[in-house]
Amino acid sequence: MTSRAIYTAHSPGEALKMVLAEQGLTQKAFALRVGRTQKFVGGLINGSVFVTPKTAIQLARATGLSVEYWMALEKAYRADEVALREGAPKTAATRQTSLGQSNARLR
């Protein structure tokens, strides 16, 4: 990925949505690319599906963003969910995430 755009991503799903828009892909096309169902990809986007290490590897291969990027975003997002429920301040929601960062591509 050659883009250098900076995004504020509140969840892995929002980041994935931005990547799909940037690449001009539908959820269905992306699902075919990663070997998952469209329902699974929709779940990632709406936050009902967690990014596991296996999923992070699939996302990294399909997007060019690192496994570590996807895992860190998931961890921060889920920590924020807990913090919000517990009344603690958010930690990751204001973090800027570069989707054009240098990554070890797995392709």
Side-chain angles (χ1 to χ4, degrees):
M1 182 173 272
T2 58
S3 173
R4 296 288 176 214
I6 301 294
Y7 300 101
T8 300
H10 298 274
S11 70
E14 288 181 15
L16 180 56
K17 214 165 137 177
M18 288 185 266
V19 169
L20 295 182
E22 185 177 89
Q23 294 182 5
L25 292 173
T26 63
Q27 288 183 25
K28 183 176 182 178
F30 188 76
L32 290 171
R33 181 182 283 186
V34 296
R36 295 292 190 119
T37 65
Q38 186 175 348
K39 182 178 179 180
F40 181 87
V41 173
L44 283 173
I45 289 172
N46 72 30
S48 65
V49 172
F50 285 58
V51 176
T52 64
K54 178 181 177 180
T55 302
I57 290 168
Q58 292 171 323
L59 291 171
R61 286 182 177 147
T63 65
L65 296 167
S66 71
V67 171
E68 294 80 9
Y69 169 82
W70 292 108
M71 293 303 301
L73 197 53
E74 176 69 20
K75 180 181 174 184
Y77 175 64
R78 299 302 170 182
D80 277 353
E81 282 189 322
V82 172
L84 286 172
R85 281 194 305 268
E86 300 295 323
K90 292 174 84 173
T91 58
T94 57
R95 181 176 301 134
Q96 285 192 336
T97 307
S98 172
L99 296 179
Q101 64 185 321
S102 293
N103 288 282
R105 292 184 185 227
L106 299 177
R107 294 190 232 186

